Amino acid sequence: MRTILKTVIFLMISYRMVSAEIILSEILANEPGSRVLLEWFEIYNSDDSTINLDNYSFIENGDTLNIPEGAIIDGNSYAVICRRLEPHDGSDCFESYWGDSSGVWGDALDENYRVYEAGMTLSNSNGSIYILLADSIGIDHFIWDKATDDARSYERDWVLDPFSDWHECYDPSGSTPGSENSVIPSDDAQYFLSVEPEAVSLARHEKTMTVTYGAPSGTEVTIYIYDDSALRRRVIVEQSSNSVDEIIWNLEDDNSDTLPAGLYFLSFRTSGAISVLKNIPIVIAP
């Protein structure tokens, strides 16, 4: 089904998610305490070769970020795009918090990955980041609608799979810039989400999708439908205490109107001892 879905997305609405090249791997939107200028996101290059970032666009909440010309990411490596890399007149910066506070990035052993500055203002409670190729074909994205704890990032479960889910960082430090993401506790296996089918056709009068989920007891579950501009279109479940359920969705938005053809995302979020975020791309074809 994943292969069929990717083909439908590419043919119908020029959006695809690929298993190689660059993907988002980690995002820190909620800065430590009352500090400012410390937002950043991390990307991973799963290819063996160095990639020039001039060939990509990074869209943050609808605005294209100005990545420094000639910026690169090495093969099988991480790079970070941050709001402020080095101090300007004593300001907060990435280097002072995640480096050795010398004021210069790259002069310490732990500062061994590439970091680039780009103006951004990541909102704590909601936002989106998209990666597009130069021909405007989307290759990856992440949407969040809830703030993490201070200085705690969102991380992708597995950087080699662009369809993998996301979780809040489990590392005691709260984030893992420039290195492997934190290990997911085994309890996370208790969480389950599926949607069948993942692609429907209005022309064939296919008017429903079945959403099935599971979570440990005592967990609150929220499921939303977003469009590809990160606009929430339908509340399927909101803070439900039902740990297991199956829901038939009729493709309608919150105004009881059938959604038009396009790419959407089923977003599953839980709150409890472990906070989990899972996203599934779905397609409504003409």
Side-chain angles (χ1 to χ4, degrees):
M1 185 62 195
R2 294 290 188 193
T3 302
I4 295 173
L5 177 60
K6 287 187 284 185
T7 302
V8 170
I9 292 173
F10 178 77
L11 293 176
M12 294 295 183
I13 48 181
S14 297
Y15 192 102
R16 64 186 174 94
M17 299 184 72
V18 295
S19 59
E21 297 179 342
I22 295 174
I23 69 166
L24 288 165
S25 55
E26 187 171 3
I27 295 172
L28 182 79
N30 195 355
E31 300 163 304
S34 60
R35 303 182 70 165
V36 297
L37 305 176
L38 296 184
E39 303 105 309
W40 54 265
F41 64 89
E42 179 190 74
I43 55 177
Y44 180 74
N45 177 10
S46 60
D47 195 79
D48 292 334
S49 303
T50 298
I51 290 178
N52 191 321
L53 298 184
D54 291 345
N55 298 322
Y56 296 82
S57 295
F58 297 86
I59 313 297
E60 181 258 318
N61 285 343
D63 295 326
T64 301
L65 300 180
N66 293 318
I67 307 297
E69 186 176 352
I72 63 173
I73 178 171
D74 301 305
N76 302 308
S77 298
Y78 298 90
V80 169
I81 312 297
C82 67
R83 182 176 179 183
R84 180 67 57 82
L85 173 55
E86 296 172 348
H88 299 184
D89 300 324
S91 63
D92 274 342
C93 64
F94 186 91
E95 195 278 336
S96 66
Y97 195 86
W98 286 279
D100 67 347
S101 299
S102 70
V104 177
W105 181 260
D107 62 352
L109 291 177
D110 290 340
E111 300 175 354
N112 58 357
Y113 52 94
R114 299 184 186 276
V115 185
Y116 300 105
E117 180 175 311
M120 68 178 80
T121 307
L122 304 183
S123 171
N124 293 355
S125 58
N126 61 81
S128 63
I129 295 176
Y130 286 79
I131 301 179
L132 283 70
L133 286 171
D135 53 6
S136 297
I137 295 178
I139 61 170
D140 200 14
H141 79 287
F142 181 66
I143 300 169
W144 66 97
D145 58 8
K146 176 185 175 184
T148 61
D149 294 337
D150 282 357
R152 191 162 301 281
S153 67
Y154 283 115
E155 293 180 312
R156 185 166 235 131
D157 291 357
W158 190 34
V159 296
L160 297 180
D161 179 8
F163 285 103
S164 67
D165 299 318
W166 289 72
H167 61 272
E168 292 186 22
C169 180
Y170 298 114
D171 191 281
S173 67
S175 65
T176 58
S179 61
E180 293 184 1
N181 293 348
S182 60
V183 178
I184 306 169
S186 58
D187 287 347
D188 190 46
Q190 301 177 51
Y191 295 83
F192 172 77
L193 174 69
S194 73
V195 56
E196 292 292 339
E198 293 179 2
V200 296
S201 170
L202 298 177
R204 293 200 299 264
H205 305 290
E206 297 169 343
K207 298 181 178 180
T208 62
M209 290 183 174
T210 301
V211 180
T212 306
Y213 71 85
S217 38
T219 302
E220 288 189 341
V221 172
T222 295
I223 302 176
Y224 295 148
I225 302 291
Y226 290 92
D227 63 23
D228 63 351
S229 66
L231 178 66
R232 194 178 79 189
R233 303 299 295 272
R234 177 64 184 264
V235 176
I236 302 294
V237 174
E238 189 159 41
Q239 295 183 323
S240 172
S241 58
N242 292 337
S243 58
V244 178
D245 205 353
E246 180 178 280
I247 299 163
I248 307 298
W249 174 45
N250 60 3
L251 309 186
E252 292 181 353
D253 62 16
D254 285 333
N255 296 319
S256 299
D257 296 322
T258 300
L259 289 172
L263 172 67
Y264 298 89
F265 299 94
L266 183 78
S267 179
F268 168 89
R269 183 184 296 279
T270 68
S271 60
I274 297 176
S275 179
V276 171
L277 175 64
K278 299 178 183 289
N279 289 294
I280 295 179
I282 57 179
V283 170
I284 300 178

